[in-house]
Amino acid sequence: MFTKQTDHRTPLPLRPLHRCGTILSLVAFLWLLFVPSVVSAIDPEGPPAAAKKKILQLELALAKKGEVYTLLNLSSQGLILKIKGFPLKQFHFSEISLEKAERLREPVHRLIKKYPPPPAVEKEIPLSGAPETRVSSLLSTETVFVSVGDMPSRYRLYFEDGLMISIEPARRECNCGKIHSGLSLIKETAVSLSWEAERLLFDRRFPDLRLVLSEEEAQALFWSLSEGAWLLIDSGS
Amino acid sequence: MFNFFRSFSDGRWKSGWGLLLAGLLLLTVGFLFLSIKATDTAASLAPGKPAPSPGLKKRDVRSELAPEDQKLRKAIQSLSPKGIYAVVDTAKNRLWLKRGESVVYEAVVSTGSGTTLTDPKNPDRRWLFETPRGEFRVQSKIRNPVWIKPDWAFIEEGEALPIDARDRVEGGVLGEYAIAFGNGYFIHGTLYTRMLGQNVTHGCIRMADKDLEVVYKSLPNGAPIYIF
């Protein structure tokens, strides 16, 4: 079918099939040449850049308020408390899972409730009539107070627009014996399941986002987040 | 060059040029696929799956370098305090004096106890002893301050409210210095330094004498205090 080619230096005129193949090869070659520019041209000002710009615009508006706000970066798995645009404290979560992405499309959310609520300790008023036992409030050495260690490490955050975030403590590594660690695992799982069941009954839906932090960080985050504070979610696009 | 095209069109795929072209095409398709995948936002994540690691850095850098983004970043940065300022962490009970991003001084403090007090004669009157959070400024600096006891101080001690205002004055309990930062809240000294590092106050920030002196002398009137 093909003419035997004897001399490469003087190629024979190409037949139709040869021509078709050559054209295809040329197209492929040109495609290769243009690929870098095609790739770089994909969406240069499209959704990711626009989202980034929107985040920055919203952050600027929040920073101007002079209130503490929180920036949640999903891609770097970090959560930063900020004020006036500069970071106050950073938290790192070890796990993140997204149940529903729809509510995360809007990047800014206002915290309206933490559940369970922080522990309330009511001060006891001493009985009057024993003035010799009284000391000034500023000199009192009472030990009734609420500290960060009293805060829950497993809780849910409810936002104005319906967004719900669940914060959970990471499993503690136990260097104890196998039986002990097995028992603690069973206990942790039971606590987690009962909490999930209780919240599912109450909320009738799963949280939109789950974040897992160390127990101490989860408590510190609970302490630091005030109801009414703003949360800015950067999807990392 | 011509031989290269011929080897392709002749169907001699095993020749070097043909294989090279096929490989390049495969790489192209793969590269395009990855590029499109990287543009996906978190909204496209499958439910219950962990978030992916950061997307293509090249894209991030490009978006960071966009002039409008840079302008916005600069606008945010311009809001940061210029001179010396204080940051107070009420969870850790720490105070930092900072200039820019560098820490100039660190001290252990005591902040609000988070307890509540109800007036037994009027249950509608309740106090939450919490250190306020947010941005504040040094409003005044006082040497040898005296404490003007508010109502809750008497109620807390089970005492009747004084009729004479002079009975509200108590000296020697605030230390040598006090820094007012608004709404009756102060950074002041304490006689009970062993309680430092704990949440035991009525909302004020207590410090040890030597730390208080440094803070008092470092923070000018109007200096920002950020509490979280």
Side-chain angles (χ1 to χ4, degrees):
Chain A
M1 188 171 174
F2 297 107
T3 311
K4 194 181 174 185
Q5 199 174 322
T6 50
D7 189 0
H8 290 282
R9 286 167 297 182
T10 53
L12 294 169
L14 292 172
R15 292 181 180 182
L17 189 64
H18 286 120
R19 258 182 247 130
C20 181
T22 307
I23 288 164
L24 276 174
S25 305
L26 265 170
V27 168
F29 189 71
L30 288 171
W31 172 247
L32 271 175
L33 281 177
F34 284 106
V35 157
S37 54
V38 169
V39 169
S40 62
I42 290 176
D43 214 9
E45 275 295 321
K52 192 81 192 164
K53 190 176 160 189
K54 191 176 179 185
I55 294 282
L56 287 169
Q57 283 171 335
L58 288 167
E59 185 173 358
L60 179 61
L62 290 178
K64 279 181 179 170
K65 287 182 180 222
E67 295 169 6
V68 178
Y69 63 94
T70 311
L71 179 66
L72 170 62
N73 194 314
L74 294 180
S75 58
S76 68
Q77 302 204 344
L79 201 144
I80 313 170
L81 286 183
K82 290 178 129 185
I83 192 166
K84 288 277 182 180
F86 74 93
L88 293 168
K89 191 168 188 167
Q90 192 155 7
F91 300 90
H92 183 81
F93 35 93
S94 53
E95 278 178 57
I96 171 172
S97 56
L98 203 62
E99 300 294 333
K100 262 187 184 176
E102 288 79 25
R103 285 200 176 85
L104 296 181
R105 288 194 200 284
E106 196 54 47
V108 72
H109 308 267
R110 188 173 201 157
L111 179 66
I112 51 166
K113 195 176 90 174
K114 297 188 278 188
Y115 185 87
V121 179
E122 181 77 26
K123 280 204 164 199
E124 282 186 22
I125 299 167
L127 292 170
S128 56
E132 67 278 0
T133 60
R134 285 184 220 141
V135 285
S136 165
S137 293
L138 289 183
L139 298 178
S140 65
T141 55
E142 62 182 341
T143 53
V144 180
F145 57 86
V146 183
S147 72
V148 69
D150 301 315
M151 298 297 126
S153 57
R154 186 186 299 277
Y155 51 93
R156 283 192 179 177
L157 305 171
Y158 297 86
F159 293 84
E160 215 166 36
D161 54 356
L163 175 73
M164 192 205 306
I165 297 178
S166 174
I167 308 287
E168 292 162 27
R171 278 192 202 284
R172 277 176 180 266
E173 289 297 321
C174 181
N175 291 328
C176 42
K178 280 184 181 173
I179 295 172
H180 197 273
S181 63
L183 284 173
S184 66
L185 183 68
I186 291 167
K187 189 186 160 194
E188 276 183 34
T189 311
V191 168
S192 174
L193 283 175
S194 63
W195 161 261
E196 286 297 330
E198 186 240 309
R199 292 321 299 160
L200 196 57
L201 275 173
F202 185 80
D203 294 326
R204 300 197 179 279
R205 68 184 178 99
F206 288 104
D208 304 297
L209 190 65
R210 286 171 194 270
L211 307 176
V212 178
L213 292 94
S214 70
E215 191 172 356
E216 293 74 23
E217 284 214 310
Q219 288 175 316
L221 179 64
F222 187 93
W223 178 280
S224 304
L225 288 176
S226 304
E227 286 172 0
W230 291 96
L231 172 75
L232 191 59
I233 300 179
D234 185 352
S235 308
S237 48
Chain B
M1 188 69 179
F2 232 71
N3 282 338
F4 157 58
F5 292 122
R6 277 207 176 157
S7 67
F8 185 68
S9 57
D10 285 353
R12 284 184 276 138
W13 290 95
K14 284 180 184 174
S15 71
W17 283 105
L19 276 174
L20 182 68
L21 182 60
L24 282 171
L25 275 169
L26 271 172
L27 277 174
T28 311
V29 172
F31 187 44
L32 273 173
F33 176 75
L34 284 174
S35 303
I36 290 162
K37 191 93 176 161
T39 60
D40 287 350
T41 60
S44 65
L45 293 173
K49 283 188 179 174
S53 55
L56 285 183
K57 283 193 174 167
K58 190 182 171 188
R59 180 167 296 279
D60 291 346
V61 169
R62 193 171 0 156
S63 60
E64 277 171 15
L65 290 176
E68 278 190 59
D69 287 4
Q70 271 192 339
K71 225 184 253 181
L72 283 165
R73 274 181 203 279
K74 274 186 185 169
I76 293 169
Q77 282 168 1
S78 70
L79 297 171
S80 299
K82 301 292 175 288
I84 196 162
Y85 62 98
V87 176
V88 180
D89 182 345
T90 58
K92 280 190 171 176
N93 286 298
R94 293 286 186 281
L95 180 146
W96 295 277
L97 282 181
K98 295 179 89 175
R99 196 183 290 275
E101 285 180 16
S102 52
V103 176
V104 179
Y105 194 78
E106 182 178 351
V108 180
V109 298
S110 279
T111 55
S113 66
T115 55
T116 52
L117 176 73
T118 310
D119 185 349
K121 290 178 184 168
N122 180 6
D124 291 337
R125 288 185 87 194
R126 294 188 83 225
W127 293 270
L128 173 61
F129 297 129
E130 211 173 43
T131 302
R133 295 164 192 200
E135 184 192 27
F136 303 90
R137 287 191 182 269
V138 174
Q139 297 198 340
S140 60
K141 293 164 69 175
I142 308 153
R143 266 178 178 270
N144 300 315
V146 289
W147 187 35
I148 312 295
K149 289 171 76 173
D151 287 357
W152 55 255
F154 295 96
I155 293 166
E156 190 180 55
E157 291 166 27
E159 288 179 6
L161 297 179
I163 298 163
D164 190 343
R166 283 173 295 183
D167 292 338
R168 289 181 179 267
V169 179
E170 193 168 320
V173 290
L174 296 175
E176 285 183 53
Y177 308 98
I179 301 164
F181 60 89
N183 297 325
Y185 292 98
F186 290 86
I187 298 174
H188 60 74
T190 179
L191 298 174
Y192 287 88
T193 49
R194 66 189 171 89
M195 302 297 276
L196 289 171
Q198 296 182 345
N199 298 86
V200 292
T201 78
H202 297 89
C204 286
I205 298 166
R206 295 183 194 170
M207 301 186 79
D209 289 346
K210 70 174 179 65
D211 293 330
L212 181 62
E213 190 176 354
V214 173
V215 173
Y216 181 88
K217 288 178 176 169
S218 304
L219 287 180
N221 274 323
I225 300 171
Y226 301 105
I227 306 173
F228 69 99

